[in-house]
Amino acid sequence: MIIQSVRDRNLHQPLISTPPLKQCEVSVIVPVKDEAQTLAATLAALAHQTGLNGQPLSPLRYEIIILANNCTDESAQIARQFARAHPLLAIHVAEITLPLDRAYIGYVRKLLMDEAYGRLMSLGRSRGIIASTDGDTKVATTWISATIAEIASGIDAVGGRILTDRQSRHALSPQARTFFLQEVGYRFLVAEMECYIDPDPYDPLPRHYQHYGASLAVTAEMYAKAGGIPPVRTPEDEAFYQSLLRVNARFRHSLRVQVTTSARASGRSPVGLANQLTKWTEMSADSALKVEPADVVISRFRSRRKLRLAWQRALHGHQLSFQEIKPLANKLGVCDDWLLDELLLSQTFGRLFEKVTQYQQKTCPIRWQLIDVKTAIMELRQSRSLRIAHSQLSFHR
């Protein structure tokens, strides 16, 4: 499958006229809008990449494509000056002014990833890597080599661990900082519980929960198979992640791949970390962060596991019966006839689970309430302790 790129629709010419080097394995894309204060540090981190052995990474193995869109500052000039100062590294800078209906991060990231896809495929590199980061983010020195290693292990796409820099984090209000740390702890525990209940052989523990544009990599062939970045304003990275799940991409939430980004409470998008930090800052002092209860999280993962096993049996020719499906359908809150048909028709589990979720959203009212994150964390920790104790007991029997 070949994606229908923006270029194919004749909306503009290629962003970069210079062809990629024959040795290029990774095309790094950096969307930029008014990042004059942080862009030099972003590019410096990309320019000083090393292998996992600590030796300098050959600049011939990767390129950097920067798209400065609708900038009102000197971002583009800073990028060009950096490129001139680093002639051994393939740094390509494009500048564009988009109409207001397209001047959003989802469209800009799509322009860049489509461009990277075309450049890698022109070299015949179907397993070449499109690697995304942001103009306010500093990648780790092994960011590229760790990504290459993950892809080489058989993975199709990688979400890197996104850390926040200490200085900007400490500049937050005490309340916003507390809520941020609580959410990180909660989401790590949810990801851990997911691995216990519905394990993915390509994404085992230790892992994290992030799959966002500041550190997101995908092979060219899987980018095409997933249809590229979906045409959404934002969050385009979350929408793309769902597209990858829909085609059963082997996705890894890797702790080896890391970046550090700003914890600023003002951003370019109406959603995302910056917007969330702003909301937390504006909440009243006696507010509490509310999240899903632990039992709801655990129940969802258990139901998904049962659904996955049923789908796998159907995929391997097992004749599913209504008697077999009815308890699962009741648990999921869907019609058993409908579920049986979807189990037999769905070619990927990602697509099946998406349809089940959409069905639930339309027909099943939420019967639970959000709870204080501190309570949810305590419940998840208790459940984790019970699971560890049970596994150790089973091991010694």
Side-chain angles (χ1 to χ4, degrees), residues 39-102:
L39 185 55
T42 295
L43 297 178
L46 287 168
H48 297 94
Q49 289 291 289
T50 70
L52 297 178
N53 59 2
Q55 296 299 310
L57 187 68
S58 170
L60 302 178
R61 299 182 66 183
Y62 67 103
E63 65 178 9
I64 303 168
I65 305 175
I66 303 157
L67 178 57
N69 78 99
N70 300 63
C71 289
T72 59
D73 65 6
E74 299 179 348
S75 293
Q77 296 94 307
I78 291 171
R80 293 190 181 100
Q81 290 172 0
F82 192 93
R84 287 193 292 270
H86 297 79
L88 298 181
L89 183 58
I91 302 177
H92 309 290
V93 183
E95 194 170 4
I96 190 171
T97 300
L98 295 168
L100 291 179
D101 62 337
R102 294 181 193 147

Side-chain angles (χ1 to χ4, degrees), residues 79 92 122 129 141 178 188 204 360 371 391:
H92 309 290
S122 73
I129 301 169
T141 56
T178 297
F188 258 102
Q360 292 172 328
I371 65 172
S391 64

Side-chain angles (χ1 to χ4, degrees), residues 351-369:
R351 181 58 178 147
L352 171 63
F353 188 66
E354 180 182 52
K355 287 184 176 181
V356 168
T357 302
Q358 290 170 347
Y359 189 117
Q360 292 172 328
Q361 291 171 346
K362 290 180 180 178
T363 63
C364 300
I366 295 177
R367 299 186 179 90
W368 47 268
Q369 292 184 333

Side-chain angles (χ1 to χ4, degrees), residues 192-208:
E192 186 177 7
M193 195 60 61
E194 181 179 20
C195 288
Y196 288 143
I197 299 172
D198 186 22
D200 180 347
Y202 298 104
D203 198 18
L205 292 174
R207 52 156 287 192
H208 59 86

Side-chain angles (χ1 to χ4, degrees), residues 23 26 29 64 109 177 196 241 248 250 286 322 326:
Q23 302 94 322
V26 182
I29 64 103
I64 303 168
R109 205 179 301 277
R177 186 164 61 248
Y196 288 143
Y241 176 67
N248 278 7
R250 294 165 292 191
D286 58 348
F322 283 108
K326 191 174 184 62

Side-chain angles (χ1 to χ4, degrees), residues 139-348:
V139 304
T141 56
T142 58
W143 184 68
I144 291 177
S145 56
T147 299
I148 291 173
E150 293 286 9
I151 297 295
S153 72
I155 300 301
D156 299 311
V158 182
R161 175 75 176 103
I162 303 170
L163 306 169
T164 53
D165 72 84
R166 182 175 301 178
Q167 183 176 357
S168 64
R169 192 167 62 247
H170 282 283
L172 296 172
S173 70
Q175 179 170 273
R177 186 164 61 248
T178 297
F179 283 174
F180 170 71
L181 295 174
Q182 286 175 338
E183 187 189 48
V184 170
Y186 171 77
R187 296 188 68 179
F188 258 102
L189 285 167
V190 169
E192 186 177 7
M193 195 60 61
E194 181 179 20
C195 288
Y196 288 143
I197 299 172
D198 186 22
D200 180 347
Y202 298 104
D203 198 18
L205 292 174
R207 52 156 287 192
H208 59 86
Y209 61 89
Q210 298 167 308
H211 35 259
Y212 308 136
S215 184
L216 183 62
V218 60
T219 65
E221 63 182 0
M222 186 53 67
Y223 183 73
K225 187 176 181 180
I229 295 287
V232 298
R233 293 188 68 88
T234 189
E236 81 294 341
D237 40 19
E238 178 64 36
F240 181 54
Y241 176 67
Q242 295 302 322
S243 296
L244 290 169
L245 296 184
R246 203 174 295 132
V247 295
N248 278 7
R250 294 165 292 191
F251 195 98
R252 176 68 174 140
H253 293 88
S254 175
L255 289 171
R256 292 200 295 173
V257 180
Q258 292 191 359
V259 304
T260 302
T261 195
S262 170
R264 61 189 180 190
S266 62
R268 313 285 186 256
S269 169
V271 298
L273 176 60
N275 183 68
Q276 187 60 67
L277 289 170
T278 299
K279 289 183 178 179
W280 287 338
T281 300
E282 295 171 351
M283 289 171 63
S284 61
D286 58 348
S287 299
L289 180 61
K290 301 288 189 176
V291 296
E292 278 187 323
D295 59 344
V296 173
V297 171
I298 292 169
S299 178
R300 182 172 65 251
F301 290 151
R302 284 175 175 167
S303 297
R304 191 180 72 185
R305 184 61 180 175
K306 291 177 181 178
L307 181 67
R308 188 189 304 276
L309 294 175
W311 175 79
Q312 290 174 345
R313 290 197 299 272
L315 191 67
H316 290 91
H318 177 75
Q319 296 297 315
L320 298 172
S321 66
F322 283 108
Q323 291 76 14
E324 188 177 1
I325 293 303
K326 191 174 184 62
L328 177 58
N330 289 338
K331 181 68 175 176
L332 293 168
V334 302
C335 174
D336 47 9
D337 289 347
W338 178 88
L339 181 58
L340 182 58
D341 288 342
E342 292 299 331
L343 280 165
L344 297 175
L345 293 173
S346 297
Q347 295 300 305
T348 70

